[in-house]
Amino acid sequence: MGIRRGHKARPLEAVAEKAILSVALSTIGVVLLIFLFVGREAFPIFFGHVNSAAISEIKPLPVAELDKMTPAQVQAYLGLSAAEYKSMERDTLVSLMEVRLEAAQEGTTDRDAGLNTVSWRYLLGSHQWSDYDHPVYVWQPVSKIHKYNLVPLIVGSLKTTFVALLFAVPLAIAAAIYVSQLARPRWKEWLKPAIEMLSAVPSVVLGAFALLVMATVLQLIFGYQYRLNAFLAGIALGLASIPVIFSLAEDALTSVPRSYSQAALALGASRWAAAWQIVVPAAIPGLFAAIILGFGRCIGETMVVLIASGNAAILSPSLFDPTRTLTATIAAELGETVVGGHHYRMLFVLGTLLFIVTFLINAAGDVVMHRLKRNLEGK
Amino acid sequence: MTTRRFARQSFDLVGALFTGLTGLATLLILAILAVILVYLVSLGGSQVSWHFLTGGTDADMFDAQKAGIFPMLIGTTARVMLMTLFVIPAGVTTAIYLTEYAQSTALLTRFIRAAVNNLAGVPSIVFGLFGVGFFISFVGGGLDTLSGSNEPHWGKPALLWASMTLAVMTLPVVIVATEEALRAIAPGLREASLALGATKLETVLKIVLPNALPGILTGGILAISRAAGEVAPILFTGAAYYLKDTPKSVTDQFMDLAYHIYVLATQSPNVELTRPILFGTVVVLLLLTFSLNLVAVLVRARIRRRMRAAH
């Protein structure tokens, strides 16, 4: 970089460097695009521009009216923005009209028919729906009144993640300490890749294994009522996160300079004491980062929980009840939604929430890792 | 200065316990992995036959005697191969920027690194949503509008969009592996090239890249292995429950090994009867991801040895 030469190829060099830089910059672009395009479908709900009420003030119209209406009238009738209207096929508009008509015809008898279920009050608060005898938190986007409460899904995600981390963190960190500090160098060389091989098991395979094998075994051991539940999904999720946590923790422990533990050994410490009293404290930020990134992995994992959690979007404090996570809900329901409808948008709201949570987790992990590096370099 | 007191070296129950417990944790993880593999292979191994690998789904997709997974093998192979076309050039170029051109302390470099880390942490289902919202609706829908066709030709789930979604997802895998390979090259090699009058670009193209080839290969292999097992990103961007035919163009949908496992595990018409197909497919997929990972591990070990020798 510092060398200056009068070489003829200079202009080409400059162009090449610009091109390489622009490709590298596209990684930042991709992250922004993900946020924009997942968020694009979700923002109208975030800002209260969508109304999911089964009946609205506007009089329902027969589908055939579509051809007689001006675009502005159609937009107002279906509650669409101009851009949305343009992006839709005629078929989509017709099906939206049909849905509207059906909802209006069926919904009039229900006292909840006028509620905008995608407003924040119903997304987060409990409500006594007409078919319940007490206020509930429930995600039930079916029939005429779509109930979109986020609380059961968030609790479901946290429950499975909690079980997964409870299972995976002690195992993975202990193994990381053993492999990086206590194992013989010759063993270490194959122990690390062997444990990381666990990440070669695809999550859909772990899910199938949990569904067909682990479910039966764990039910026999613990004797709980439901075969598929948060506990089972959590254990399977733990298996998926062990290689992530182990790998990061092992890296953090290995990045502590050898001279630290050598100094302790020279002062008469035993191997384990040097590991436990010197290396582990020095690597604490890295271990912490490994745990939060493992948390991110668990919150975002889809296939394991989709297959093994029992998929009941009910709010329950018990770890042994069937449950439903944010990720599984998107995977299970997106295929059945009308593009641009409120159900479709709600699933993108879940996606945006997941993106924001993992973004923050990664940022936190990044900062902590950076600090570890700085500490160890003694700056 | 404070002095620390260390446990004595002579006999030490706590120490033995500490070493024993951490060793036990290591052993337990390996045992779990072994149990999963042995169990799955013992359940599905007998299903894997020549007919199973080369047969189609036209006879009966859910009959263990007749069903084959050839269309799924083709679909999975097509989507990961197409993915590497996108992800390798982008990933390798980014890694070259980060190791050869960027100043490691610059704010921009930190931003790019943060973006790569962030990309690695985004849930796979969110990539799926991104594929639907960006590739299918925006890019595909846009192409349809431009070409003025009423039938959606681009704006629907397709092999191309599934591959591109996976390429975005595996970008960090390729970047990290390539970077490691680039850093393993002795700085002296670059300096020698520059000293002989080669320009920076010439040095990168003729000295650095050829030497980093094994590492780039590793990155590609790991990306393929990761992508082959993913279902969430392709659920809505291209995978199909059942098709008569293998994909003929990049705008076709495809059947897929990993997606097939999901279908058989959750939507099978008869769980007992299709179980052999499910485990057979699992064994084939595991064989694929494990052999790819094994190759990556071996290549990587070689690079690390060379790195130790070089620095």
Side-chain angles (χ1 to χ4, degrees):
Chain A
M1 252 167 275
I3 309 165
R4 296 222 159 263
R5 293 169 315 277
H7 200 284
K8 282 178 189 157
R10 268 290 184 228
L12 179 65
E13 293 285 308
V15 172
E17 188 169 342
K18 287 267 152 40
I20 292 172
L21 172 66
S22 59
V23 173
L25 283 178
S26 69
T27 51
I28 301 179
V30 164
V31 173
L32 287 177
L33 278 181
I34 294 177
F35 182 67
L36 276 179
F37 275 87
V38 175
R40 190 174 78 139
E41 308 289 350
F43 293 146
I45 286 184
F46 275 120
F47 301 121
H49 295 322
V50 175
N51 191 340
S52 70
I55 48 166
S56 59
E57 274 79 273
I58 308 168
K59 199 165 69 68
L61 297 168
V63 177
E65 290 285 307
L66 180 61
D67 300 316
K68 296 178 203 157
M69 291 155 79
T70 65
Q73 281 173 324
V74 179
Q75 282 167 33
Y77 176 61
L78 293 174
L80 302 169
S81 70
E84 284 172 328
Y85 175 74
K86 258 187 213 146
S87 73
M88 281 179 184
E89 302 286 329
R90 189 174 180 284
D91 290 350
T92 318
L93 291 174
V94 168
S95 56
L96 281 178
M97 298 268 297
E98 278 165 3
V99 169
R100 197 53 177 269
L101 191 64
E102 248 170 58
Q105 281 162 354
E106 290 173 14
T108 41
T109 52
D110 198 306
R111 70 178 154 83
D112 290 330
L115 299 180
N116 180 13
T117 55
V118 297
S119 63
W120 285 107
R121 150 127 198 29
Y122 299 106
L123 294 187
L124 297 176
S126 65
H127 178 70
Q128 183 174 343
W129 302 96
S130 50
D131 39 357
Y132 285 85
D133 55 4
H134 57 280
V136 287
Y137 296 92
V138 63
W139 171 279
Q140 212 176 68
V142 287
S143 78
K144 51 195 186 241
I145 295 156
H146 286 43
K147 308 174 183 85
Y148 291 120
N149 199 283
L150 300 177
V151 177
L153 306 183
I154 295 171
V155 170
S157 278
L158 290 177
K159 266 192 334 193
T160 48
T161 303
F162 172 74
V163 174
L165 292 182
L166 213 60
F167 169 61
V169 167
L171 271 183
I173 302 258
I177 293 174
Y178 183 79
V179 171
S180 82
Q181 301 299 318
L182 303 170
R184 291 181 193 159
R186 189 174 297 173
W187 290 13
K188 178 184 166 155
E189 236 164 70
W190 67 265
L191 274 178
K192 186 172 189 203
I195 291 181
E196 285 172 347
M197 270 290 165
L198 199 53
S199 68
V201 182
S203 59
V204 68
V205 172
L206 274 180
F209 184 74
L211 173 76
L212 297 168
V213 183
M214 277 164 61
T216 316
V217 175
L218 288 180
Q219 196 176 25
L220 270 177
I221 297 174
F222 294 94
Y224 44 67
Q225 188 186 354
Y226 301 100
R227 223 175 94 86
L228 303 180
N229 53 48
F231 177 73
L232 170 71
I235 298 289
L237 206 52
L239 292 178
S241 62
I242 280 178
V244 178
I245 301 173
F246 167 81
S247 192
L248 290 165
E250 208 272 348
D251 284 345
L253 289 164
T254 306
S255 73
V256 176
R258 270 265 188 76
S259 55
Y260 282 37
S261 54
Q262 278 167 351
L265 292 173
L267 289 170
S270 57
R271 283 191 87 66
W272 81 269
W276 182 244
Q277 293 180 300
I278 301 295
V279 180
V280 171
I284 279 287
L287 298 182
F288 184 64
I291 296 172
I292 43 183
L293 292 174
F295 177 85
R297 173 73 211 266
C298 289
I299 282 279
E301 176 53 57
T302 309
M303 297 319 289
V304 168
V305 285
L306 179 60
I307 297 175
S309 68
N311 275 328
I314 44 164
L315 184 65
S316 143
S318 166
L319 294 178
F320 300 108
D321 279 344
T323 190
R324 174 74 95 70
T325 67
L326 293 165
T327 50
T329 305
I330 302 175
E333 293 175 5
L334 190 67
E336 302 154 8
T337 59
V338 179
V339 175
H342 47 81
H343 189 184
Y344 178 83
R345 287 184 189 285
M346 267 316 294
L347 297 178
F348 276 81
V349 167
L350 302 185
T352 310
L353 288 179
L354 280 169
F355 181 81
I356 293 172
V357 168
T358 49
F359 185 89
L360 293 177
I361 285 172
N362 273 293
D366 234 31
V367 169
V368 174
M369 282 290 199
H370 208 67
R371 185 156 301 165
L372 171 73
K373 238 187 186 165
R374 225 178 34 208
N375 285 351
L376 291 179
E377 282 162 4
K379 280 174 199 160
Chain B
M1 285 289 279
T2 53
T3 47
R4 261 179 205 268
R5 294 183 62 85
F6 293 110
R8 291 242 210 96
Q9 193 141 35
S10 51
F11 178 75
D12 181 355
L13 184 70
V14 189
L17 216 63
F18 184 79
T19 312
L21 281 178
T22 52
L24 203 66
T26 314
L27 208 66
L28 188 61
I29 296 176
L30 292 174
I32 291 173
L33 177 62
V35 165
I36 293 178
L37 291 184
V38 169
Y39 203 85
L40 287 175
V41 170
S42 74
L43 283 174
S46 57
Q47 174 71 21
V48 182
S49 63
W50 183 247
H51 173 76
F52 186 63
L53 292 176
T54 57
T57 45
D58 29 311
D60 186 352
M61 187 165 134
F62 297 116
D63 185 335
Q65 305 301 316
K66 296 181 198 153
I69 53 166
F70 187 67
M72 291 81 177
L73 274 172
I74 294 293
T76 303
T77 312
R79 78 172 158 97
V80 296
M81 286 299 153
L82 202 56
M83 172 199 82
T84 52
L85 289 186
F86 303 116
V87 71
I88 301 253
V92 171
T93 314
T94 306
I96 288 177
Y97 176 78
L98 287 173
T99 49
E100 308 293 320
Y101 287 92
Q103 281 162 324
S104 62
T105 49
L107 198 60
L108 186 66
T109 316
R110 270 205 77 185
F111 270 140
I112 293 176
R113 278 190 194 290
V116 174
N117 280 342
N118 186 261
L119 222 45
V122 172
S124 51
I125 189 73
V126 175
F127 283 110
L129 288 179
F130 173 64
V132 172
F134 181 69
F135 289 126
I136 296 182
S137 297
F138 185 72
V139 182
L143 285 174
D144 280 337
T145 315
L146 283 181
S147 62
S149 68
N150 287 328
E151 285 277 294
H153 178 66
W154 297 101
K156 61 181 175 48
L159 183 58
L160 179 67
W161 305 137
S163 301
M164 288 188 134
T165 308
L166 290 168
V168 173
M169 189 190 75
T170 50
L171 196 57
V173 179
V174 176
I175 294 176
V176 169
T178 310
E179 249 200 284
E180 193 188 4
L182 293 175
R183 288 193 196 288
I185 297 167
L189 217 54
R190 294 186 185 88
E191 286 153 17
S193 163
L194 292 171
L196 287 171
T199 65
K200 183 143 198 161
L201 186 62
E202 285 166 350
T203 307
V204 167
L205 290 180
K206 293 187 179 158
I207 305 294
V208 176
L209 271 187
N211 275 291
L213 212 56
I216 296 171
L217 200 72
T218 320
I221 292 170
L222 285 176
I224 290 177
S225 156
R226 164 89 198 274
E230 280 288 346
V231 179
I234 61 165
L235 269 179
F236 310 111
T237 53
Y241 180 86
Y242 175 76
L243 293 171
K244 272 205 202 98
D245 230 336
T246 48
K248 294 282 175 280
S249 91
V250 292
T251 56
D252 286 347
Q253 282 190 279
F254 57 96
M255 285 197 277
D256 181 87
L257 277 183
Y259 182 67
H260 195 53
I261 294 173
Y262 165 63
V263 167
L264 289 173
T266 58
Q267 296 155 36
S268 165
N270 186 333
V271 183
E272 291 304 320
L273 283 181
T274 56
R275 196 164 288 178
I277 315 178
L278 168 62
F279 284 119
T281 317
V282 164
V283 168
V284 173
L285 184 65
L286 279 179
L287 213 63
L288 193 74
T289 57
F290 268 78
S291 49
L292 286 170
N293 266 270
L294 209 62
V295 173
V297 164
L298 294 177
V299 179
R300 214 173 227 186
R302 247 191 57 186
I303 296 174
R304 293 219 168 117
R305 263 203 304 280
R306 213 171 62 183
M307 181 163 160
R308 252 172 279 157
H311 286 271

